[in-house]
Amino acid sequence: MMTTGKSILITGGAGFIGSHVVRLFVNKYPDYEIFNLDKLTYAGNLANIADVANKPNYNFIKADIVDAAQINTLFETHRFDAVIHLAAESHVDRSITNPMDFVMTNVVGTVNLLNAFKNLWKGAYEGKLFYHVSTDEVYGSLHDGGFFLETTPYDPQSPYSASKASSDHFVRAYHNTYKIPVVLSNCSNNYGPNQFPEKLIPLFINNIRHNKPLPVYGKGENVRDWLYVIDHARAIDDVFHKGKTGETYNIGGFNEWKNLDLVKVICKTMDEKLGRPAGESEKLITYVTDRAGHDLRYAIDSTKIMKELGWQPSLQFEEGIAKTIDWYLSNQQWMDEVTSGDYQKYYENMYAKR
Ligand code: NAD
Ligand code: DAU
């Protein structure tokens, strides 16, 4: 469904994926007025989108989606024709420590946005759209082969995935009950520039650089399906402009890696880029206590978006991971800034007892 409106709210645009979506929309659609709404939590960083900050069609709003009154006022003021909702608490390990933060932002925050959208347009939904960005983790864990399809029953296993599943249900319920035009997508693991170094790939790149242990959970046998973040942003563009109202699109790279194999690729590439002897970084691998309730395997079947919307990933993994490592190595100031302050405390708490 193509929205005819021009005022687009993107939530979470200072985060990892959101910053790539904001950049793509600001640059590709100069006629759209883009509003990036972000609370700037530990994961939000305006440096991620500094390159578009002065564009005439870009606006930044610092706000918390949990604050219903503030969100309603912003919708009344800016009359957003469409929403692309990415703001979330996104790290599984943090959801195990602080589940309530995930209930508040991911569930209550999403319902606040849906209510504000409904209160503003009051049923006059022609040309309007609420796009909810979600995750493959809502489908649970694959144990016996196969892939997640759009029709796979929900079976979330972590507080994070339960909160995202709940938000997906609310979005569909508002479509069914109030006829809000919605579209959803559920994507696999993203990697690329600007990812906060609590997630596997940037964390391990940074640890290798500092010769710190690489904490592999369990035996490193869990499998994830990795997609370059810019390919996810391109898919979001396609779903936003060409997706059918009420539908869900799975997004993934058909690119499954066992954690340990992926870590070895990172180690090998880092050795080459840092001019270290072959095998040096692999010596940093340390097996630590597994994540509680650790999902074994995620794998997305993205046939629907490929066939119906013509989306294709643009990068092979080998090229994507090399580009990603290059980005972190040439943006060490970015990494140093985000790992100063509270990050050290987080790292201690998360890893000291493993
Ligand atoms: P991130 O943690 O890097 O960024 C989240 C952003 O949301 C941050 O800028 C943060 O400041 C903002 N935010 C958090 N709470 C907020 C609140 N209460 N109000 C306003 N802003 C708030 O996350 P990400 O990895 O970029 O993920 C973005 C979205 O994509 C999430 O909805 C996530 O569930 C989904 N997703 C992520 C992946 C992945 O691999 N990272 C894969 C599939 C889907
Ligand atoms: O599948 C999509 C999801 O991918 C997104 O919805 C989440 O927002 C995103 O964080 C990601 O979740 P994962 O839990 O898969 O990502 P993470 O980078 O935290 O972990 C990837 C794998 O690596 C997982 O099996 C756990 C393991 N791991 C992770 C860390 C941080 C380790 O072995 N050691 C670590 O230190």
Side-chain angles (χ1 to χ4, degrees):
M1 178 217 169
M2 171 69 183
T3 165
T4 51
K6 297 280 168 72
S7 172
I8 318 266
L9 172 68
I10 301 180
T11 69
F16 169 46
I17 302 169
S19 62
H20 291 280
V21 174
V22 166
R23 176 177 300 102
L24 188 153
F25 272 70
V26 166
N27 288 331
K28 187 169 172 186
Y29 302 107
D31 289 349
Y32 290 168
E33 193 70 20
I34 303 294
F35 293 85
N36 171 15
L37 183 156
D38 201 295
K39 182 182 173 184
L40 299 181
T41 67
Y42 76 93
N45 182 354
L46 288 176
N48 290 345
I49 32 157
D51 56 314
V52 298
N54 293 324
K55 295 271 171 144
N57 62 336
Y58 174 79
N59 308 270
F60 177 68
I61 302 169
K62 186 172 187 309
D64 184 345
I65 58 171
V66 176
D67 183 342
Q70 189 185 22
I71 293 301
N72 274 309
T73 304
L74 287 166
F75 272 70
E76 280 157 21
T77 308
H78 301 291
R79 304 187 65 77
F80 305 121
D81 297 298
V83 177
I84 306 177
H85 175 36
L86 295 109
E89 287 292 340
S90 71
H91 189 35
V92 174
D93 291 328
R94 287 187 194 250
S95 83
I96 295 167
T97 322
N98 291 311
M100 194 52 82
D101 292 351
F102 288 68
V103 174
M104 294 312 291
T105 287
N106 298 1
V107 186
V108 176
T110 301
V111 176
N112 283 340
L113 290 166
L114 287 164
N115 282 336
F117 191 89
K118 177 165 84 69
N119 295 342
L120 174 63
W121 296 115
K122 298 187 174 55
Y125 294 131
E126 185 64 33
K128 312 297 176 211
L129 184 63
F130 191 103
Y131 179 178
H132 181 59
V133 175
S134 193
T135 170
D136 62 355
E137 298 199 15
V138 297
Y139 299 121
S141 179
L142 290 163
H143 291 267
D144 306 316
F147 292 90
F148 295 135
L149 294 165
E150 286 81 357
T151 49
T152 301
Y154 275 30
D155 186 22
Q157 299 292 319
S158 72
Y160 163 66
S161 54
S163 69
K164 290 297 289 188
S166 173
S167 65
D168 292 13
H169 288 321
F170 270 105
V171 171
R172 293 196 181 100
Y174 271 58
H175 176 61
N176 181 59
T177 308
Y178 307 112
K179 310 302 169 207
I180 288 187
V182 305
V183 68
L184 296 90
S185 58
N186 294 74
C187 190
S188 63
N189 284 62
N190 284 215
Y191 71 99
N194 304 98
Q195 186 168 32
F196 192 78
E198 63 189 350
K199 308 284 170 69
L200 179 76
I201 291 180
L203 179 85
F204 279 29
I205 292 171
N206 190 42
N207 282 13
I208 291 171
R209 182 183 146 223
H210 292 288
N211 271 307
K212 283 174 65 177
L214 305 177
V216 171
Y217 296 166
K219 295 181 181 152
E221 284 175 345
N222 304 68
V223 175
R224 297 292 183 264
D225 173 5
W226 293 94
L227 181 70
Y228 194 59
V229 63
I230 291 171
D231 282 331
H232 187 190
R234 289 175 49 250
I236 288 174
D237 182 13
D238 285 341
V239 172
F240 182 78
H241 288 101
K242 298 188 271 184
K244 281 199 202 120
T245 304
E247 295 277 317
T248 295
Y249 297 86
N250 279 356
I251 306 168
F254 288 111
N255 178 43
E256 289 179 56
W257 285 83
K258 221 180 240 192
N259 288 342
L260 190 58
D261 295 337
L262 173 71
V263 169
K264 286 181 177 169
V265 170
I266 298 172
C267 288
K268 183 169 175 284
T269 315
M270 287 291 284
D271 283 344
E272 286 160 12
K273 305 252 179 217
L274 296 174
R276 292 182 182 172
E280 188 75 3
S281 299
E282 262 192 51
K283 292 183 196 153
L284 297 169
I285 292 175
T286 310
Y287 296 94
V288 301
T289 308
D290 208 352
R291 172 183 282 173
H294 197 172
D295 288 339
L296 180 64
R297 173 174 168 254
Y298 306 142
I300 277 280
D301 183 337
S302 46
T303 306
K304 180 177 173 181
I305 187 173
M306 292 166 101
K307 281 210 169 134
E308 292 186 12
L309 307 187
W311 172 84
Q312 295 268 2
S314 67
L315 275 192
Q316 292 299 312
F317 184 69
E318 289 67 20
E319 193 186 347
I321 197 75
K323 269 173 93 115
T324 300
I325 289 174
D326 283 341
W327 188 86
Y328 287 100
L329 291 179
S330 52
N331 287 274
Q332 291 185 3
Q333 196 187 337
W334 180 93
M335 183 62 94
D336 292 343
E337 276 169 17
V338 300
T339 53
S340 64
D342 282 352
Y343 180 84
Q344 302 305 335
K345 221 185 296 163
Y346 160 80
Y347 199 89
E348 274 287 299
N349 287 339
M350 195 56 76
Y351 292 97
K353 293 185 210 101
R354 278 188 185 271

